[in-house]
PDB file of all heavy atoms in Angstrom:
ATOM      1  N   GLU A 255      35.917  13.918  35.743  1.00  0.00           N
ATOM      2  CA  GLU A 255      36.974  12.958  35.351  1.00  0.00           C
ATOM      3  C   GLU A 255      36.570  12.172  34.109  1.00  0.00           C
ATOM      4  O   GLU A 255      37.391  11.932  33.225  1.00  0.00           O
ATOM      5  CB  GLU A 255      37.401  12.021  36.481  1.00  0.00           C
ATOM      6  CG  GLU A 255      36.417  11.364  37.449  1.00  0.00           C
ATOM      7  CD  GLU A 255      35.089  12.027  37.762  1.00  0.00           C
ATOM      8  OE1 GLU A 255      35.012  13.160  38.302  1.00  0.00           O
ATOM      9  OE2 GLU A 255      34.086  11.365  37.444  1.00  0.00           O
ATOM     10  N   LEU A 256      35.277  11.830  34.010  1.00  0.00           N
ATOM     11  CA  LEU A 256      34.804  11.106  32.822  1.00  0.00           C
ATOM     12  C   LEU A 256      34.872  11.986  31.579  1.00  0.00           C
ATOM     13  O   LEU A 256      35.311  11.548  30.512  1.00  0.00           O
ATOM     14  CB  LEU A 256      33.355  10.624  33.030  1.00  0.00           C
ATOM     15  CG  LEU A 256      33.163   9.409  33.933  1.00  0.00           C
ATOM     16  CD1 LEU A 256      31.679   9.131  34.153  1.00  0.00           C
ATOM     17  CD2 LEU A 256      33.861   8.192  33.334  1.00  0.00           C
ATOM     18  N   VAL A 257      34.451  13.214  31.738  1.00  0.00           N
ATOM     19  CA  VAL A 257      34.462  14.129  30.589  1.00  0.00           C
ATOM     20  C   VAL A 257      35.899  14.365  30.132  1.00  0.00           C
ATOM     21  O   VAL A 257      36.217  14.268  28.947  1.00  0.00           O
ATOM     22  CB  VAL A 257      33.774  15.462  30.938  1.00  0.00           C
ATOM     23  CG1 VAL A 257      33.875  16.440  29.767  1.00  0.00           C
ATOM     24  CG2 VAL A 257      32.312  15.230  31.302  1.00  0.00           C
ATOM     25  N   LYS A 258      36.764  14.642  31.098  1.00  0.00           N
ATOM     26  CA  LYS A 258      38.172  14.920  30.798  1.00  0.00           C
ATOM     27  C   LYS A 258      38.804  13.764  30.034  1.00  0.00           C
ATOM     28  O   LYS A 258      39.551  13.944  29.088  1.00  0.00           O
ATOM     29  CB  LYS A 258      38.930  15.090  32.122  1.00  0.00           C
ATOM     30  CG  LYS A 258      39.639  16.409  32.274  1.00  0.00           C
ATOM     31  CD  LYS A 258      40.468  16.310  33.543  1.00  0.00           C
ATOM     32  CE  LYS A 258      40.778  17.656  34.119  1.00  0.00           C
ATOM     33  NZ  LYS A 258      41.294  17.565  35.487  1.00  0.00           N
ATOM     34  N   LYS A 259      38.461  12.558  30.480  1.00  0.00           N
ATOM     35  CA  LYS A 259      39.078  11.370  29.900  1.00  0.00           C
ATOM     36  C   LYS A 259      38.629  11.155  28.452  1.00  0.00           C
ATOM     37  O   LYS A 259      39.408  10.773  27.599  1.00  0.00           O
ATOM     38  CB  LYS A 259      38.710  10.149  30.743  1.00  0.00           C
ATOM     39  CG  LYS A 259      39.340   8.859  30.253  1.00  0.00           C
ATOM     40  CD  LYS A 259      39.108   7.716  31.228  1.00  0.00           C
ATOM     41  CE  LYS A 259      39.565   6.401  30.625  1.00  0.00           C
ATOM     42  NZ  LYS A 259      38.992   5.262  31.356  1.00  0.00           N
ATOM     43  N   HIS A 260      37.353  11.398  28.166  1.00  0.00           N
ATOM     44  CA  HIS A 260      36.825  10.996  26.861  1.00  0.00           C
ATOM     45  C   HIS A 260      36.559  12.125  25.871  1.00  0.00           C
ATOM     46  O   HIS A 260      36.518  11.888  24.673  1.00  0.00           O
ATOM     47  CB  HIS A 260      35.534  10.192  27.056  1.00  0.00           C
ATOM     48  CG  HIS A 260      35.744   8.907  27.798  1.00  0.00           C
ATOM     49  ND1 HIS A 260      36.397   7.830  27.241  1.00  0.00           N
ATOM     50  CD2 HIS A 260      35.410   8.536  29.055  1.00  0.00           C
ATOM     51  CE1 HIS A 260      36.440   6.835  28.121  1.00  0.00           C
ATOM     52  NE2 HIS A 260      35.852   7.237  29.235  1.00  0.00           N
ATOM     53  N   LEU A 261      36.364  13.338  26.382  1.00  0.00           N
ATOM     54  CA  LEU A 261      36.045  14.431  25.468  1.00  0.00           C
ATOM     55  C   LEU A 261      37.205  14.668  24.500  1.00  0.00           C
ATOM     56  O   LEU A 261      38.343  14.832  24.916  1.00  0.00           O
ATOM     57  CB  LEU A 261      35.752  15.714  26.258  1.00  0.00           C
ATOM     58  CG  LEU A 261      35.167  16.867  25.437  1.00  0.00           C
ATOM     59  CD1 LEU A 261      33.716  16.590  25.080  1.00  0.00           C
ATOM     60  CD2 LEU A 261      35.275  18.181  26.205  1.00  0.00           C
ATOM     61  N   GLY A 262      36.920  14.633  23.229  1.00  0.00           N
ATOM     62  CA  GLY A 262      37.974  14.838  22.239  1.00  0.00           C
ATOM     63  C   GLY A 262      38.824  13.619  21.984  1.00  0.00           C
ATOM     64  O   GLY A 262      39.781  13.670  21.227  1.00  0.00           O
ATOM     65  N   SER A 263      38.459  12.492  22.612  1.00  0.00           N
ATOM     66  CA  SER A 263      39.277  11.287  22.411  1.00  0.00           C
ATOM     67  C   SER A 263      38.954  10.621  21.080  1.00  0.00           C
ATOM     68  O   SER A 263      39.742   9.859  20.541  1.00  0.00           O
ATOM     69  CB  SER A 263      39.062  10.303  23.567  1.00  0.00           C
ATOM     70  OG  SER A 263      37.759   9.750  23.509  1.00  0.00           O
ATOM     71  N   VAL A 264      37.791  10.894  20.540  1.00  0.00           N
ATOM     72  CA  VAL A 264      37.406  10.285  19.268  1.00  0.00           C
ATOM     73  C   VAL A 264      37.461  11.322  18.141  1.00  0.00           C
ATOM     74  O   VAL A 264      37.925  11.047  17.040  1.00  0.00           O
ATOM     75  CB  VAL A 264      35.975   9.683  19.343  1.00  0.00           C
ATOM     76  CG1 VAL A 264      35.708   8.831  18.118  1.00  0.00           C
ATOM     77  CG2 VAL A 264      35.792   8.871  20.615  1.00  0.00           C
ATOM     78  N   VAL A 265      36.987  12.507  18.455  1.00  0.00           N
ATOM     79  CA  VAL A 265      37.105  13.621  17.509  1.00  0.00           C
ATOM     80  C   VAL A 265      38.010  14.661  18.166  1.00  0.00           C
ATOM     81  O   VAL A 265      37.556  15.484  18.953  1.00  0.00           O
ATOM     82  CB  VAL A 265      35.725  14.255  17.206  1.00  0.00           C
ATOM     83  CG1 VAL A 265      35.882  15.414  16.232  1.00  0.00           C
ATOM     84  CG2 VAL A 265      34.760  13.210  16.652  1.00  0.00           C
ATOM     85  N   PRO A 266      39.309  14.604  17.879  1.00  0.00           N
ATOM     86  CA  PRO A 266      40.223  15.564  18.501  1.00  0.00           C
ATOM     87  C   PRO A 266      39.840  16.985  18.089  1.00  0.00           C
ATOM     88  O   PRO A 266      39.265  17.181  17.031  1.00  0.00           O
ATOM     89  CB  PRO A 266      41.591  15.198  17.913  1.00  0.00           C
ATOM     90  CG  PRO A 266      41.420  13.889  17.237  1.00  0.00           C
ATOM     91  CD  PRO A 266      39.972  13.701  16.946  1.00  0.00           C
ATOM     92  N   MET A 267      40.155  17.922  18.942  1.00  0.00           N
ATOM     93  CA  MET A 267      39.790  19.306  18.622  1.00  0.00           C
ATOM     94  C   MET A 267      40.415  19.782  17.325  1.00  0.00           C
ATOM     95  O   MET A 267      39.924  20.695  16.690  1.00  0.00           O
ATOM     96  CB  MET A 267      40.198  20.225  19.777  1.00  0.00           C
ATOM     97  CG  MET A 267      41.678  20.167  20.058  1.00  0.00           C
ATOM     98  SD  MET A 267      42.219  21.441  21.192  1.00  0.00           S
ATOM     99  CE  MET A 267      41.605  20.869  22.735  1.00  0.00           C
ATOM    100  N   THR A 268      41.498  19.126  16.924  1.00  0.00           N
ATOM    101  CA  THR A 268      42.194  19.522  15.701  1.00  0.00           C
ATOM    102  C   THR A 268      41.667  18.793  14.471  1.00  0.00           C
ATOM    103  O   THR A 268      42.172  18.970  13.374  1.00  0.00           O
ATOM    104  CB  THR A 268      43.690  19.179  15.821  1.00  0.00           C
ATOM    105  OG1 THR A 268      43.786  17.783  16.175  1.00  0.00           O
ATOM    106  CG2 THR A 268      44.370  20.003  16.889  1.00  0.00           C
ATOM    107  N   ASP A 269      40.652  17.960  14.658  1.00  0.00           N
ATOM    108  CA  ASP A 269      40.214  17.052  13.600  1.00  0.00           C
ATOM    109  C   ASP A 269      39.850  17.748  12.294  1.00  0.00           C
ATOM    110  O   ASP A 269      40.304  17.379  11.222  1.00  0.00           O
ATOM    111  CB  ASP A 269      39.023  16.230  14.079  1.00  0.00           C
ATOM    112  CG  ASP A 269      38.668  15.120  13.119  1.00  0.00           C
ATOM    113  OD1 ASP A 269      39.383  14.103  13.134  1.00  0.00           O
ATOM    114  OD2 ASP A 269      37.719  15.282  12.332  1.00  0.00           O
ATOM    115  N   ASN A 270      38.974  18.699  12.390  1.00  0.00           N
ATOM    116  CA  ASN A 270      38.608  19.450  11.188  1.00  0.00           C
ATOM    117  C   ASN A 270      38.099  20.816  11.612  1.00  0.00           C
ATOM    118  O   ASN A 270      37.873  21.080  12.794  1.00  0.00           O
ATOM    119  CB  ASN A 270      37.559  18.693  10.355  1.00  0.00           C
ATOM    120  CG  ASN A 270      36.203  18.611  11.045  1.00  0.00           C
ATOM    121  OD1 ASN A 270      35.499  19.612  11.171  1.00  0.00           O
ATOM    122  ND2 ASN A 270      35.841  17.421  11.530  1.00  0.00           N
ATOM    123  N   TYR A 271      37.916  21.655  10.653  1.00  0.00           N
ATOM    124  CA  TYR A 271      37.552  23.051  10.878  1.00  0.00           C
ATOM    125  C   TYR A 271      36.347  23.213  11.792  1.00  0.00           C
ATOM    126  O   TYR A 271      36.374  23.962  12.768  1.00  0.00           O
ATOM    127  CB  TYR A 271      37.277  23.673   9.510  1.00  0.00           C
ATOM    128  CG  TYR A 271      37.117  25.160   9.509  1.00  0.00           C
ATOM    129  CD1 TYR A 271      38.238  25.987   9.558  1.00  0.00           C
ATOM    130  CD2 TYR A 271      35.859  25.733   9.426  1.00  0.00           C
ATOM    131  CE1 TYR A 271      38.097  27.366   9.534  1.00  0.00           C
ATOM    132  CE2 TYR A 271      35.710  27.112   9.398  1.00  0.00           C
ATOM    133  CZ  TYR A 271      36.837  27.921   9.448  1.00  0.00           C
ATOM    134  OH  TYR A 271      36.688  29.272   9.421  1.00  0.00           O
ATOM    135  N   PHE A 272      35.273  22.474  11.483  1.00  0.00           N
ATOM    136  CA  PHE A 272      34.041  22.649  12.242  1.00  0.00           C
ATOM    137  C   PHE A 272      34.122  21.991  13.620  1.00  0.00           C
ATOM    138  O   PHE A 272      33.524  22.474  14.577  1.00  0.00           O
ATOM    139  CB  PHE A 272      32.842  22.125  11.450  1.00  0.00           C
ATOM    140  CG  PHE A 272      32.641  22.870  10.167  1.00  0.00           C
ATOM    141  CD1 PHE A 272      32.873  22.254   8.942  1.00  0.00           C
ATOM    142  CD2 PHE A 272      32.255  24.204  10.177  1.00  0.00           C
ATOM    143  CE1 PHE A 272      32.708  22.952   7.765  1.00  0.00           C
ATOM    144  CE2 PHE A 272      32.096  24.917   8.999  1.00  0.00           C
ATOM    145  CZ  PHE A 272      32.326  24.289   7.785  1.00  0.00           C
ATOM    146  N   ALA A 273      34.879  20.905  13.704  1.00  0.00           N
ATOM    147  CA  ALA A 273      35.067  20.253  14.997  1.00  0.00           C
ATOM    148  C   ALA A 273      35.878  21.161  15.922  1.00  0.00           C
ATOM    149  O   ALA A 273      35.611  21.259  17.123  1.00  0.00           O
ATOM    150  CB  ALA A 273      35.755  18.911  14.818  1.00  0.00           C
TER     151      ALA A 273
END
Side-chain angles (χ1 to χ4, degrees):
Chain A
E255 42 333 299
L256 284 175
V257 176
K258 237 187 203 167
K259 182 172 172 197
H260 297 289
L261 190 73
S263 70
V264 191
V265 179
M267 59 170 74
T268 53
D269 189 77
N270 68 70
Y271 190 79
F272 298 111

